[in-house]
Amino acid sequence: MITQFLLVKIFRLILLIAAVATLSFLLVSSSPVNPVDAYVGTAMLRISQDQREIIAKRWGLDKPPVERFGRWAGQMATGNLGVSTIFNEPVLSVIGKRFVTSFWLMALAWSLSGALGFGLGLIAGAREDTLLDRGIRLYAYTMASTPTFWVGMILLMVFSVSLGWTPVCCAWPPGLSAEQATLWQRLHHLLLPAVTLSLIGIAQITLHTREKTIEALRSDYAVFARAQGESIIGIVFVRALRNVALPAVTLQFASLGELFGGAVLAEQVFAYPGLGRTTVEAGIRGDIPLLLGIVLFSTIFVFTGNFMADLIYHLVDPRLRKTAGAIS
Amino acid sequence: MLDIQNLSIRFTRYTFGLKKKEVCVVRDFDLSIAPGQVMAVIGQSGAGKSLLAHALLGILPRNAKVEGRILFKGKPLTPERLSALRGREIALIPQSITALNPLLRVGVQVARAARLSGISKKDVPTTVRRAFSRYLLRKEVAHCFPFQLSGGMARRVLTATATVGMADLILADEPTSGLDPITAREALTHLRELADTGKAVLLITHDIAAALQVADMVTVFCAGTTVEVARADDFKGLDQLRHPYTRALWDALPANSFIGTMKPIERTSDAAGCPFQPCCNDQNTVCGQSTPELKDSGEGRVRCHHA
Amino acid sequence: MMTNPLALDRRTRTMMVIFGCLVLFSAIFIAAWLYGEQGQVTNLALRKLPPGWNQPFGTDWLGRDMFARTIKGLRISLEIGLAAASCSAIIALLLGLAAATMGRIIDVAVTWLCDVGMATPHLVLLILISFACGGGAKGVIIAVAASHWPALTRVIRAEVMQLRTSDYIKLSSRLGKSPAWIARHHLLPHVVPQFLVGLLLLFPHAILHAAGLTFLGFGMSPHTPEIGILLAESMRYLTTGMWWLAVAPGLALILSAMTFDVLGNNVRALLDPKTLRE
């Protein structure tokens, strides 16, 4: 049963990647941005037509798009995503290195926002329409309408510029390499971007948990529990905790896409050298292989999140766990 | 044990365009039960019978407004008193098996109910075991999730949950719905047994035939109010029954002539007049002018100008 | 139960909120029009002034009035949001209807298209599309429009599917009503409110994503007073203590996005009171 589940998922992933790859390639090849111009940038005037042609030839830009796609797709099937033009390094190794840096940022932000958001949502739902609930809701709605980068800028101004508690940029002190920095230094640099991401990320999980809590409180089993003399707090924390936590965990996994997007913006503000910042660089400087690689990687990233959400549902919900063949 | 006078339940709702609308679901409802008695409340499905049970327990949704006098064991049932009594002295057997949390094991849920009814922590396991064996539930059932139970079994679990404590008043909300005749009969027998141990049982149902098997008294509930209170024995023949609506119900029983029931018109406003006026054969001008009061009649009560 | 005599009933309150939101949006457009070119004028005598009586949002390093620039930026954001959200909503409407009414194959195709559209993180997709369009305001609009339709498509598809299987529509078609009649009398009254609310709730997303995209440097030229660009510019002056360059435009953007959110939720409550819990 579990193997069938996995097989279906893998098949879907392959289909999805094929579609995303084709569409993305179509998009980038229709771009009016000349990758060579974007690459040479301000040095454009100093470079002769011959040199440009050499660059174009090395990147295979002299061939027609269909042939380029064939070659790219063929390479991709063997796990080779090409060479990044701005880093002059295989795309996979760039993504790998940058993702590790981003991973800690995203993991910290993800767990922080998940835990806090779930707690706030439970409280708001249990105390529906009280001042506390209104306060939490106002916070969540405000954060849902707030750009991540703006929160980052405000935090940067307050904590790094005015108070000087946190560093202004980067993932480790300038002048050191990633390996030389101590764990404490890395955490210190990580803190503000992670808080930025969590502050925004809390919004969705809070509102969702609140809805689910209210829904649970109105369910038949909660009414029966009330009839048995259970208090609202008792229902929320003893009876309905599982029923509310399950969709919350699922949502948290299913929102990895938002997390990735948030990381792009937060990394830009804090000059944090993760995958998000690399995405922006690849886009601005026309690094097509890298951009395509990141698109595919982030697709897998999002897919993994959704997959985890599905898997957890199947593992936790007894109705799905015990009935064979109930897998979508 | 329980004495209800002039109970009314209103709901505020919003319709398209957020227009506020107040709906009165129950009005001028009267009822009383003595210990050892099974009192059946009979009414059509969807007539607001379940709301009665929920109102007695104070667990209606927040947009509901309850008015009237409720005396429990001779003292007024205030919200404060109610929150202390709920689950300890008054227990509910709910209508639907969705009242069991789908994600928790049955045993855990019964144990929690036992704990809430005031049983000390160390006595909970024995009490739960006893409740299970009383309703012929195997030990393994405690480890099941609700979806793994059959309808009859789930029903017995609900009864076990409600009676695991020492409640004196049991409110049974449609305990036979969705059950086959044998299982339904068994569920009703359980209620009778509870009454025979000195508890008061309020049996809320739409099934008169089933109710008459175990009830001592019957309250006929229609158009949101008490229409007639009769002894179960009064249903043995047509001439003992006081209200035209009750007689119509009697006619519709399978054992009798099966004539269609009389349908009251829906009165959402508090307009005067008997709700049965448009469809009743015995009507005259009084019926259109004033709503009849509930008056004593023999050993029962009736709300009709002509009884 | 006591009721506060000053408390307005739900309907009046909702109507007032909706009216207030509309007034606010008109005010932005009118103010942007009244200000004309003022936001672009450099006045080196008034450089780097903090917020005060004559310049409520302060001035920037070229002496441009930040209030005028913010208002202009909001107008651009609203225009982009309007264009992108409308396109997105129309795509969603067409695809949703097609999926629900044109048979199994189309349905599978549209559902899969939604999956593909949601497979990549929003922002990455935005960057990709904006890159494909070669930047510019058009690129931003296309990117936002092309990436926001899947969620609403699913909603509309589900709604129409549910309606189609409902008893009264089956009955109508058995009574010999034409599909067009059914669409006009049974489908439209349900789908139009869903569509309108969906459109309104798309706005804040569209506005925020557009601002994010321009903040990252994709999109319009640096001279356009768009909120994302204003904020990106202010990044350079953060360390010099010119906090007002970031705070005021950001707050203005949040306020506009929230206003749309409030508007959408209130209209939904008005059209579909079930969503309102009391």
Short mmCIF file of all heavy atoms in Angstrom, two decimals, chain B residues 111-144:
data_model
loop_
_atom_site.label_atom_id
_atom_site.label_comp_id
_atom_site.label_asym_id
_atom_site.label_seq_id
_atom_site.Cartn_x
_atom_site.Cartn_y
_atom_site.Cartn_z
N ALA B 111 -13.38 7.33 29.38
CA ALA B 111 -12.64 7.60 30.62
C ALA B 111 -12.69 9.08 30.97
O ALA B 111 -12.84 9.46 32.13
CB ALA B 111 -11.19 7.13 30.45
N ARG B 112 -12.57 9.91 29.95
CA ARG B 112 -12.61 11.36 30.18
C ARG B 112 -13.98 11.77 30.75
O ARG B 112 -14.06 12.59 31.66
CB ARG B 112 -12.33 12.09 28.87
CG ARG B 112 -12.33 13.59 28.95
CD ARG B 112 -11.12 14.11 29.69
NE ARG B 112 -11.26 15.53 29.95
CZ ARG B 112 -10.49 16.23 30.78
NH1 ARG B 112 -9.51 15.62 31.42
NH2 ARG B 112 -10.66 17.50 30.97
N ALA B 113 -15.05 11.18 30.18
CA ALA B 113 -16.39 11.48 30.67
C ALA B 113 -16.53 11.04 32.13
O ALA B 113 -17.12 11.75 32.95
CB ALA B 113 -17.44 10.78 29.81
N ALA B 114 -15.93 9.89 32.46
CA ALA B 114 -15.99 9.39 33.82
C ALA B 114 -15.28 10.35 34.76
O ALA B 114 -15.79 10.72 35.83
CB ALA B 114 -15.34 8.02 33.89
N ARG B 115 -14.12 10.79 34.35
CA ARG B 115 -13.33 11.72 35.15
C ARG B 115 -14.12 13.00 35.39
O ARG B 115 -14.15 13.54 36.49
CB ARG B 115 -12.03 12.01 34.41
CG ARG B 115 -10.98 12.76 35.18
CD ARG B 115 -10.24 11.85 36.13
NE ARG B 115 -9.33 12.63 36.96
CZ ARG B 115 -9.68 13.18 38.12
NH1 ARG B 115 -10.91 13.02 38.57
NH2 ARG B 115 -8.81 13.89 38.82
N LEU B 116 -14.78 13.50 34.35
CA LEU B 116 -15.53 14.75 34.45
C LEU B 116 -16.76 14.61 35.33
O LEU B 116 -17.22 15.58 35.91
CB LEU B 116 -15.96 15.23 33.06
CG LEU B 116 -14.87 15.80 32.17
CD1 LEU B 116 -15.39 15.97 30.75
CD2 LEU B 116 -14.40 17.14 32.71
N SER B 117 -17.29 13.38 35.42
CA SER B 117 -18.49 13.22 36.23
C SER B 117 -18.15 13.14 37.71
O SER B 117 -19.04 12.92 38.53
CB SER B 117 -19.26 11.98 35.78
OG SER B 117 -18.55 10.84 36.21
N GLY B 118 -16.89 13.30 38.02
CA GLY B 118 -16.51 13.39 39.42
C GLY B 118 -15.92 12.12 40.01
O GLY B 118 -15.71 12.02 41.22
N ILE B 119 -15.63 11.14 39.15
CA ILE B 119 -15.04 9.91 39.65
C ILE B 119 -13.54 10.12 39.83
O ILE B 119 -12.88 10.71 38.96
CB ILE B 119 -15.31 8.76 38.67
CG1 ILE B 119 -16.80 8.45 38.69
CG2 ILE B 119 -14.50 7.52 39.00
CD1 ILE B 119 -17.28 7.66 37.52
N SER B 120 -13.00 9.64 40.95
CA SER B 120 -11.59 9.89 41.21
C SER B 120 -10.71 9.12 40.23
O SER B 120 -11.12 8.11 39.68
CB SER B 120 -11.23 9.48 42.65
OG SER B 120 -11.22 8.07 42.72
N LYS B 121 -9.51 9.65 40.04
CA LYS B 121 -8.63 9.15 39.00
C LYS B 121 -8.40 7.64 39.10
O LYS B 121 -8.39 6.93 38.11
CB LYS B 121 -7.28 9.88 39.09
CG LYS B 121 -6.59 9.99 37.74
CD LYS B 121 -5.48 11.03 37.81
CE LYS B 121 -4.98 11.34 36.42
NZ LYS B 121 -4.14 12.53 36.36
N LYS B 122 -8.24 7.15 40.35
CA LYS B 122 -7.88 5.73 40.45
C LYS B 122 -9.10 4.84 40.22
O LYS B 122 -8.95 3.67 39.89
CB LYS B 122 -7.21 5.43 41.79
CG LYS B 122 -8.11 5.49 43.02
CD LYS B 122 -7.30 5.06 44.22
CE LYS B 122 -8.06 4.83 45.51
NZ LYS B 122 -9.38 5.30 45.68
N ASP B 123 -10.30 5.39 40.37
CA ASP B 123 -11.49 4.56 40.15
C ASP B 123 -11.94 4.55 38.68
O ASP B 123 -12.80 3.75 38.31
CB ASP B 123 -12.66 5.07 41.01
CG ASP B 123 -12.38 4.85 42.49
OD1 ASP B 123 -11.57 3.95 42.79
OD2 ASP B 123 -12.96 5.56 43.32
N VAL B 124 -11.35 5.45 37.89
CA VAL B 124 -11.81 5.56 36.50
C VAL B 124 -11.73 4.24 35.73
O VAL B 124 -12.73 3.81 35.15
CB VAL B 124 -11.07 6.70 35.77
CG1 VAL B 124 -11.27 6.61 34.26
CG2 VAL B 124 -11.55 8.05 36.26
N PRO B 125 -10.57 3.53 35.76
CA PRO B 125 -10.50 2.30 34.94
C PRO B 125 -11.58 1.28 35.31
O PRO B 125 -12.22 0.73 34.41
CB PRO B 125 -9.11 1.76 35.26
CG PRO B 125 -8.33 2.94 35.71
CD PRO B 125 -9.30 3.83 36.41
N THR B 126 -11.82 1.07 36.60
CA THR B 126 -12.85 0.10 36.98
C THR B 126 -14.23 0.56 36.54
O THR B 126 -15.02 -0.23 36.03
CB THR B 126 -12.88 -0.11 38.52
OG1 THR B 126 -12.23 0.99 39.13
CG2 THR B 126 -12.24 -1.41 38.92
N THR B 127 -14.51 1.86 36.73
CA THR B 127 -15.82 2.37 36.34
C THR B 127 -16.05 2.19 34.84
O THR B 127 -17.13 1.77 34.41
CB THR B 127 -15.92 3.87 36.68
OG1 THR B 127 -15.27 4.09 37.93
CG2 THR B 127 -17.37 4.30 36.77
N VAL B 128 -15.02 2.51 34.08
CA VAL B 128 -15.15 2.40 32.63
C VAL B 128 -15.39 0.93 32.25
O VAL B 128 -16.26 0.62 31.44
CB VAL B 128 -13.90 2.96 31.91
CG1 VAL B 128 -13.94 2.63 30.42
CG2 VAL B 128 -13.80 4.45 32.13
N ARG B 129 -14.63 0.03 32.89
CA ARG B 129 -14.78 -1.39 32.57
C ARG B 129 -16.21 -1.85 32.88
O ARG B 129 -16.83 -2.56 32.11
CB ARG B 129 -13.76 -2.21 33.36
CG ARG B 129 -13.17 -3.35 32.53
CD ARG B 129 -12.04 -4.05 33.27
NE ARG B 129 -10.97 -3.13 33.68
CZ ARG B 129 -10.47 -3.08 34.92
NH1 ARG B 129 -10.93 -3.85 35.87
NH2 ARG B 129 -9.47 -2.25 35.18
N ARG B 130 -16.71 -1.36 34.04
CA ARG B 130 -18.07 -1.75 34.42
C ARG B 130 -19.09 -1.21 33.41
O ARG B 130 -20.01 -1.91 33.01
CB ARG B 130 -18.38 -1.23 35.83
CG ARG B 130 -19.15 -2.26 36.66
CD ARG B 130 -19.39 -1.78 38.08
NE ARG B 130 -18.16 -1.57 38.83
CZ ARG B 130 -17.94 -0.50 39.61
NH1 ARG B 130 -18.87 0.42 39.74
NH2 ARG B 130 -16.82 -0.40 40.28
N ALA B 131 -18.89 0.05 33.00
CA ALA B 131 -19.82 0.64 32.03
C ALA B 131 -19.80 -0.14 30.73
O ALA B 131 -20.84 -0.40 30.11
CB ALA B 131 -19.45 2.10 31.78
N PHE B 132 -18.59 -0.57 30.33
CA PHE B 132 -18.47 -1.33 29.08
C PHE B 132 -19.20 -2.65 29.18
O PHE B 132 -19.93 -3.04 28.29
CB PHE B 132 -16.99 -1.56 28.75
CG PHE B 132 -16.42 -0.53 27.82
CD1 PHE B 132 -16.32 0.79 28.22
CD2 PHE B 132 -16.01 -0.88 26.54
CE1 PHE B 132 -15.82 1.76 27.37
CE2 PHE B 132 -15.51 0.09 25.68
CZ PHE B 132 -15.41 1.40 26.09
N SER B 133 -19.00 -3.34 30.32
CA SER B 133 -19.62 -4.67 30.41
C SER B 133 -21.13 -4.54 30.57
O SER B 133 -21.89 -5.39 30.11
CB SER B 133 -19.00 -5.46 31.56
OG SER B 133 -19.27 -4.81 32.78
N ARG B 134 -21.59 -3.43 31.19
CA ARG B 134 -23.03 -3.24 31.35
C ARG B 134 -23.71 -3.19 29.98
O ARG B 134 -24.82 -3.66 29.80
CB ARG B 134 -23.29 -1.95 32.13
CG ARG B 134 -24.71 -1.85 32.64
CD ARG B 134 -24.95 -0.57 33.46
NE ARG B 134 -23.77 -0.07 34.15
CZ ARG B 134 -23.42 1.23 34.16
NH1 ARG B 134 -24.13 2.11 33.50
NH2 ARG B 134 -22.35 1.62 34.81
N TYR B 135 -23.02 -2.58 29.01
CA TYR B 135 -23.63 -2.47 27.68
C TYR B 135 -23.03 -3.48 26.69
O TYR B 135 -23.04 -3.25 25.49
CB TYR B 135 -23.52 -1.03 27.18
CG TYR B 135 -24.36 -0.12 28.04
CD1 TYR B 135 -23.79 0.75 28.95
CD2 TYR B 135 -25.75 -0.21 27.98
CE1 TYR B 135 -24.57 1.54 29.77
CE2 TYR B 135 -26.54 0.58 28.80
CZ TYR B 135 -25.95 1.44 29.70
OH TYR B 135 -26.73 2.21 30.52
N LEU B 136 -22.52 -4.58 27.24
CA LEU B 136 -22.05 -5.71 26.43
C LEU B 136 -21.02 -5.29 25.39
O LEU B 136 -21.06 -5.74 24.24
CB LEU B 136 -23.24 -6.39 25.73
CG LEU B 136 -24.38 -6.81 26.67
CD1 LEU B 136 -25.56 -7.27 25.87
CD2 LEU B 136 -23.90 -7.90 27.62
N LEU B 137 -20.14 -4.39 25.81
CA LEU B 137 -19.06 -3.99 24.90
C LEU B 137 -17.80 -4.74 25.32
O LEU B 137 -17.44 -4.75 26.49
CB LEU B 137 -18.82 -2.49 25.00
CG LEU B 137 -19.95 -1.60 24.48
CD1 LEU B 137 -19.82 -0.20 25.04
CD2 LEU B 137 -19.95 -1.59 22.97
N ARG B 138 -17.16 -5.37 24.36
CA ARG B 138 -15.95 -6.11 24.66
C ARG B 138 -14.82 -5.16 25.05
O ARG B 138 -14.85 -3.97 24.71
CB ARG B 138 -15.53 -6.95 23.46
CG ARG B 138 -16.32 -8.25 23.33
CD ARG B 138 -15.99 -8.94 22.03
NE ARG B 138 -16.51 -8.21 20.88
CZ ARG B 138 -15.75 -7.62 19.98
NH1 ARG B 138 -14.45 -7.68 20.06
NH2 ARG B 138 -16.30 -6.98 18.97
N LYS B 139 -13.83 -5.69 25.77
CA LYS B 139 -12.71 -4.85 26.23
C LYS B 139 -11.99 -4.19 25.06
O LYS B 139 -11.56 -3.06 25.14
CB LYS B 139 -11.70 -5.73 26.98
CG LYS B 139 -12.01 -5.95 28.43
CD LYS B 139 -10.76 -6.19 29.26
CE LYS B 139 -9.92 -7.36 28.79
NZ LYS B 139 -10.46 -8.68 29.16
N GLU B 140 -11.89 -4.97 23.93
CA GLU B 140 -11.11 -4.46 22.79
C GLU B 140 -11.71 -3.20 22.19
O GLU B 140 -11.02 -2.39 21.58
CB GLU B 140 -11.01 -5.52 21.67
CG GLU B 140 -10.36 -6.81 22.09
CD GLU B 140 -11.36 -7.74 22.76
OE1 GLU B 140 -12.24 -8.28 22.09
OE2 GLU B 140 -11.26 -7.89 24.00
N VAL B 141 -13.03 -3.04 22.40
CA VAL B 141 -13.70 -1.86 21.83
C VAL B 141 -13.06 -0.58 22.31
O VAL B 141 -12.97 0.40 21.59
CB VAL B 141 -15.21 -1.91 22.17
CG1 VAL B 141 -15.90 -0.64 21.71
CG2 VAL B 141 -15.85 -3.12 21.54
N ALA B 142 -12.56 -0.60 23.54
CA ALA B 142 -11.93 0.59 24.10
C ALA B 142 -10.77 1.07 23.25
O ALA B 142 -10.44 2.26 23.24
CB ALA B 142 -11.47 0.31 25.52
N HIS B 143 -10.14 0.14 22.52
CA HIS B 143 -8.98 0.54 21.72
C HIS B 143 -9.35 0.91 20.30
O HIS B 143 -8.50 1.19 19.47
CB HIS B 143 -7.93 -0.58 21.71
CG HIS B 143 -7.43 -0.89 23.08
ND1 HIS B 143 -6.56 -0.05 23.74
CD2 HIS B 143 -7.70 -1.90 23.92
CE1 HIS B 143 -6.32 -0.56 24.94
NE2 HIS B 143 -6.99 -1.68 25.07
N CYS B 144 -10.66 0.86 20.00
CA CYS B 144 -11.09 1.17 18.64
C CYS B 144 -11.28 2.67 18.47
O CYS B 144 -11.50 3.40 19.43
CB CYS B 144 -12.43 0.49 18.35
SG CYS B 144 -12.28 -1.27 18.20
#
